[in-house]
Amino acid sequence: MSTAATQDTRSDRIVSACIYTALGLFCLAVLYPIVYVLSASVSNTKKVAAGEVWLWPVGFTLDAYKAIFDYKSIVSGFGNSVYYAVVGAVVATVLTLLAAYPLSRKGLPGKGLIMAAFVFTMMFSGGLIPTYLVVDKLGLLNTRWAIILPAALAVWNVIITRTYFMVTIPEELVEAGKVDGCSDFGFFWRIVLPLSKPIIAVNLLFYAVGQWNSFFNALIYLTNEQLFPLQVILRQILIQSKVDPSQMPDTSKLIQLKELQQQLKYSLIVIGMIPPLLVYPFVQKHFVKGAMIGSLKG
Amino acid sequence: MTTLNAERTAAAHQRERTAKSSVGLGLRMRRHWQLYAMLALPLIWLAVFAYWPMYGVIIAFKDYNVVSGIWGSPWVGLKHFERFVESYQFWRLIRNTVFLHVYELLATFPLPIILALCLNTVRRKWFSRSAQLITYAPHFISTVVVVGLLVVLTNPNTGVANQLLGLFGLGPVDFMGDSGLFRHLYVWSGAWQTMGFSAIIYLAALTSVPPELHEAAIVDGASRLRRIWHIDLPAIVPVAVILLILNIGSILSVGFEKVLLMQNNLNLDVAEVIDTYVYKIGLASAVPQFSYATAIGLFRSVIGLVLLVLANTFARRFAKSSLW
């Protein structure tokens, strides 16, 4: 910027220093717990308990991770979570695109009314029990669909996606398509979708992360442990400290698990944290842009 | 930029108007049938999973039982609402819910604004990029894991927080079991998780500030602090007001999942909020009371909606910025 050319005053330099320090502290506060847990998860149990671990691992070992992979419901929970994240994200993204595109088009009769019907649900909802009764009535309880369908559309994402379409697909392009004899379906499929990769990526990421992180729907709609997502298992072990002996192949492993119980929690946190954190830096650029467009013009 | 957009939309409106007057409504709808076909699936979803439950809310005014169904169950008027308001739980739930939310609002509302203003003034690209990357990250960590982190880090025997206290000769503190600490832990771990991501929206507002304003201010000899105060901050205010309104609307529905996860028998006197109570008597209890739980939930939603409308009216009148 042009300020580089002008001389900073003394007070400006003090302000700058304060800003850099504040940002540095923010980052440190965010990073420290994450780094600590990572280190603790690969450190010797006794050293962690004795308080010798502050930042870097002490007495490197992967025992806790080995124990995790013997615990059946963690493995199955991981698999279920991947399933819910992938299928859930695809279903939800398709629904969102189908809702957002028509609502972005100028001159669609009834558009305002439909949009209002969507937005109203952000401010008022039936609440916990009536929603549960609907899911029950549809016969979805204890099926994978109970996790995927009720979460299959987020109005906020529809708004962001619609705004993206309004900004990136100019009306002139629609008219040009019409002149060339393109139907609405054809235009959507051949012109709109190829131009919308960033917003599709944002939707997929948001829905997938949402599914990966959610536990409450599973808590109320599922009783079959085979269908539990990872978060429900994490809650049992991490927060309720419940370790289920029937989940271990043999007793010697169970004893080992008991010894490692505290350690196990560190490695479980890492396991629960890693997948979304791995994906997000790659799509960060897109979602920041998407969120910005949506928030400014929504 | 904005004026250009305005002109463009004005032209489009003109076009639209001429199109409307020349073609009848029925014909225009038929011409767009493919767009309606696309909307069919999302609308079915909306009807089933958003509006059907709203219809189900009438069980709050009935004594619902599974056999007779929603329609067959007898009407009981406001019985369940009266029972709730008169119950000994009532004031405790209201107090806990409002306290937690107001505290959360006061503590976490200014932080993203400060973060965004800081990020915006940093001129070294690599520094602001990595600061953003780091501060967004916790947003992607699940509530279960965040609460798990709290449990592990504050463990009285092995947690790093207590080891730190130990260095100063203080004692182990059972953070999670202390009802006096519940609110602080809840609010500040929430700040840790959401601060970075909430800053995005303010950063977006800051990008709309024309750089000429800053250049002119520099020429006039304005210090950096003055420029933040007089140029950057006013650009953020409209967005901040809208977010504040939304927050006030949800004052009775605090982050329910996280409260549920952080609850234990030791902190329940401050940790029980309306939503967790609804869950407990409605679904988690051995004898679920569907109608009573729905009534409490409805009570909460209606008050939330009223607060939202009030806050919006207030903001429109005094801050000239509103949701609608």
Side-chain angles (χ1 to χ4, degrees), chain B:
Chain B
M1 179 76 184
T2 21
T3 47
L4 214 136
N5 269 339
E7 273 170 33
R8 209 181 290 157
T9 43
H13 276 301
Q14 188 59 44
R15 230 180 296 139
E16 208 176 306
R17 233 169 293 146
T18 43
K20 259 184 201 169
S21 54
S22 60
V23 188
L25 180 72
L27 187 61
R28 271 191 297 132
M29 289 185 72
R30 237 174 298 148
R31 199 176 277 171
H32 287 303
W33 71 268
Q34 294 185 329
L35 295 180
Y36 291 112
M38 285 185 199
L39 273 170
L41 271 181
L43 282 178
I44 291 171
W45 181 91
L46 197 71
V48 172
F49 289 104
Y51 283 95
W52 192 1
M54 283 188 209
Y55 158 78
V57 153
I58 59 172
I59 68 170
F61 305 95
K62 293 184 160 219
D63 267 335
Y64 177 78
N65 66 70
V66 188
V67 185
S68 356
I70 294 180
W71 201 237
S73 304
W75 290 97
V76 293
L78 295 175
K79 183 179 106 177
H80 299 297
F81 294 90
E82 282 162 10
R83 184 178 151 207
F84 177 54
V85 174
E86 284 160 10
S87 76
Y88 78 101
Q89 291 277 7
F90 181 72
W91 285 111
R92 195 175 71 127
L93 288 175
I94 297 280
R95 190 192 65 212
N96 288 346
T97 313
V98 173
F99 251 52
L100 203 58
H101 194 85
V102 171
Y103 181 14
E104 189 184 25
L105 193 63
L106 291 178
T108 57
F109 192 69
L111 276 177
I113 298 182
I114 297 170
L115 181 64
L117 288 173
C118 288
L119 284 169
N120 192 50
T121 47
V122 166
R123 269 179 273 148
R124 292 191 179 82
K125 267 271 176 315
W126 69 267
F127 189 83
S128 85
R129 283 236 183 88
S130 32
Q132 287 184 42
L133 197 72
I134 291 168
T135 48
Y136 296 165
H139 175 80
F140 291 89
I141 298 173
S142 73
T143 325
V144 173
V145 170
V146 169
V147 177
L149 261 174
L150 274 180
V151 170
V152 168
L153 296 180
T154 64
N155 182 297
N157 302 316
T158 60
V160 71
N162 272 305
Q163 280 157 10
L164 195 67
L165 286 179
L167 288 184
F168 297 105
L170 298 168
V173 179
D174 182 10
F175 287 90
M176 295 302 288
D178 188 332
S179 56
L181 291 174
F182 169 80
R183 288 185 182 130
H184 305 299
L185 283 177
Y186 174 84
V187 166
W188 293 105
S189 62
W192 179 82
Q193 189 173 16
T194 58
M195 172 180 72
F197 205 74
S198 316
I200 290 184
I201 197 162
Y202 297 115
L203 278 173
L206 285 172
T207 55
S208 67
V209 175
E212 296 85 41
L213 273 182
H214 277 284
E215 281 157 22
I218 292 166
V219 171
D220 290 345
S223 71
R224 178 158 298 165
L225 214 52
R226 281 206 158 278
R227 282 188 280 128
I228 292 177
W229 188 257
H230 291 292
I231 301 174
D232 291 338
L233 207 57
I236 280 182
V237 167
V239 181
V241 169
I242 286 176
L243 290 183
L244 199 62
I245 299 171
L246 282 175
N247 255 306
I248 290 169
S250 57
I251 204 154
L252 291 186
S253 50
V254 285
F256 150 66
E257 292 194 356
K258 196 166 155 209
V259 178
L260 189 69
L261 288 166
M262 286 179 67
Q263 274 180 358
N264 54 49
N265 292 333
L266 297 171
N267 63 21
L268 212 53
D269 55 328
V270 293
E272 190 82 281
V273 295
I274 296 178
D275 280 326
T276 53
Y277 188 64
V278 167
Y279 165 67
K280 278 177 197 165
I281 59 167
L283 292 177
S285 106
V287 195
Q289 309 176 55
F290 283 149
S291 284
Y292 187 43
T294 306
I296 301 174
L298 181 62
F299 175 88
R300 195 218 69 199
S301 306
V302 169
I303 290 190
L305 199 60
V306 170
L307 284 173
L308 185 72
V309 173
L310 282 180
N312 192 54
T313 318
F314 197 75
R316 192 166 38 191
R317 197 159 296 167
F318 296 100
K320 297 189 182 83
S321 155
S322 66
L323 276 180
W324 61 82

Side-chain angles (χ1 to χ4, degrees), chain A residues 8-57:
Chain A
D8 275 2
T9 63
R10 214 177 117 83
S11 70
D12 273 356
R13 258 178 283 142
I14 295 172
V15 171
S16 296
C18 289
I19 286 173
Y20 277 92
T21 318
L23 280 176
L25 286 176
F26 274 141
C27 292
L28 207 66
V30 167
L31 275 183
Y32 181 71
I34 298 177
V35 173
Y36 176 82
V37 168
L38 262 173
S39 297
S41 74
V42 293
S43 294
N44 183 300
T45 315
K46 294 198 180 73
K47 307 266 186 199
V48 177
E52 286 178 39
V53 177
W54 287 104
L55 187 61
W56 302 119

Side-chain angles (χ1 to χ4, degrees), chain A residues 81-99 145 147-149 151-154 157 189 193 199-212, chain B residues 41-42:
Chain A
S81 279
V82 170
Y83 178 90
Y84 296 136
V86 172
V87 179
V90 171
V91 171
T93 303
V94 169
L95 276 186
T96 304
L97 291 170
L98 286 178
W145 291 110
I147 305 301
I148 288 165
L149 285 181
L153 196 119
N157 291 27
W189 186 252
L193 286 186
I199 199 70
I200 294 173
V202 169
N203 272 302
L204 285 172
L205 174 81
F206 275 13
Y207 284 120
V209 169
Q211 277 292 2
W212 181 270
Chain B
L41 271 181

